[in-house]
Each structure stands twice: as structure tokens, then as C-alpha cells.
Amino acid sequence: MTSHIILQSGQIWMPHEGAGQLPRRIVDLPEGMLAYQTVSIPSQTVRGKGYLVSQSTFRRWMRLHNAALHAEGEGRAAPAAELAQKIVTLRRSAGVTQEEMARALGISRSAVAAMETGRTSRAHLHLPRLAALFQVPVDFFLTGMVEENVTMTLGADEADLVDLYRRLSPELKITVQKYVERQTRKIS
């Protein structure tokens, strides 16, 4: 699975040393484009005019110059970015396309794309319908999955399953949880 970096305003991307490039601060993300300014670190003083490029062009620059997120921008993602990632993960694990999700929510596919990239502040309006669509509590979008340490005795086969489950990506964990829930409903 390839990771997809969510670009957002305020991030500073540092090119690899010796690349002969200045760091770039993302200023805005209008409609598939990306506005940035070159900056000096550590003062973050703007070192030139602003530029507007496609997001794919900016990502190409990141790969070409092995750019990394500046330490001040690392750590916990912005709430909009976290919510966007949760929505993407749920949609993909359910095997739902953006078009199908758009129809279910009564919005356009481009609105779903904006929701999944964190470019809209209106995602919260759709949380109850998203929760119903993906059969998760609304709190999932606000707090994420609750991890709780539980002490229990496991058989060897159960311990193997837990070990395998822990190795899965979050997306696959959700898929497994949904599968097990469906199977237990069948026997209930």
C-alpha cells in the first residue's frame, strides 16, 4: 500500500541538503492547485514571491528533491487532515468508490474528493450519514478508534489471530472488523 501525504496550508517542505532549493511553505490549496512561498529556516522569512502550481507538480518537486516535512509541521496532523484520512480509510475498506459515496450522501463526487483531502470545512455536516453508511459510531470521526488494554486468557489459535491482526494496516483492520461483525450477525 502506498502512503498518500495530505498536503495542507502551513506545512513547510524541506528539500534534501545539497539540492540547491529553498524550503517551501504551502499557503493555500485552491481547486487542485497549490500556492506556496519559498522561505528561510529557522526564521521562516519569505524569500520570494508566491507561486501557484498543480499539486502533482509540487509532489513531483517533493520526490525529485527528496523533500521532508519540516519538524515544526510534523507531529499530530490538523483535525481536518485526520478526519479526511478517516473518511478515506473507511471508504476504501468498504470497497466504495467516491461516486457511490457521493450518491449515498446526496453530494457531488468532487465534494467527496474535497472531503477526503481536507479541502473543505463542511465534512462535519455529513458525519451522521457517513457513520450510518459505514456502520460506525459518529464518535469514530471525532476521537478515532478507542484502544483499550484488556486482560484475557487466549488460546493458541486466538493468540495467533491477535498477532496477525496487529500487523495489519488500519484500513485492513477495519475490513477485518466489519467481516467478523457480519459473520457474528449471521449466527446470532
Side-chain angles (χ1 to χ4, degrees):
M1 184 172 119
T2 59
S3 67
H4 184 71
I5 297 168
I6 296 177
L7 299 173
Q8 50 189 333
S9 297
Q11 288 178 336
I12 297 174
W13 288 90
M14 302 284 294
H16 186 275
E17 283 187 45
Q21 295 280 313
L22 288 171
R24 296 178 178 189
R25 179 191 302 126
I26 298 175
V27 178
D28 194 14
L29 296 154
E31 297 296 318
M33 300 298 284
L34 185 141
Y36 73 89
Q37 294 176 316
T38 54
V39 295
S40 292
I41 300 294
S43 67
Q44 298 182 24
T45 305
V46 174
R47 295 280 308 245
K49 62 180 185 175
Y51 301 89
L52 183 66
V53 296
S54 69
Q55 288 185 27
S56 61
T57 299
F58 192 84
R59 288 178 189 283
R60 196 173 313 115
W61 174 85
M62 290 167 57
R63 284 189 305 274
L64 182 66
H65 299 289
N66 201 19
L69 192 58
H70 181 52
E72 288 181 20
E74 292 178 336
R76 187 172 172 92
E82 285 184 2
L83 178 59
Q85 190 58 51
K86 289 174 188 172
I87 293 169
V88 170
T89 300
L90 282 172
R91 181 182 61 75
R92 288 181 179 163
S93 69
V96 175
T97 66
Q98 284 186 340
E99 190 65 42
E100 292 166 335
M101 186 168 133
R103 269 187 260 118
L105 297 176
I107 59 177
S108 68
R109 194 215 49 82
S110 61
V112 169
M115 194 183 309
E116 289 186 350
T117 56
R119 291 190 322 249
T120 180
S121 60
R122 301 179 54 83
H124 69 282
L125 300 174
H126 303 287
L127 293 185
R129 288 186 291 172
L130 283 166
L133 177 65
F134 297 117
Q135 301 173 354
V136 296
V138 174
D139 286 348
F140 169 81
F141 296 103
L142 306 174
T143 61
M145 288 189 190
V146 177
E147 292 190 25
E148 186 177 319
N149 291 329
V150 177
T151 304
M152 55 177 29
T153 304
L154 301 175
D157 59 332
E158 293 169 324
D160 289 342
L161 286 172
V162 169
D163 182 53
L164 291 169
Y165 175 81
R166 287 180 176 164
R167 296 180 195 180
L168 297 174
S169 68
E171 189 173 285
L172 288 175
K173 284 180 179 179
I174 291 171
T175 302
V176 168
Q177 290 170 1
K178 296 236 176 265
Y179 173 78
V180 171
E181 285 175 9
R182 284 192 303 270
Q183 296 306 309
T184 55
R185 279 192 221 123
K186 288 179 183 179
I187 58 175
S188 298

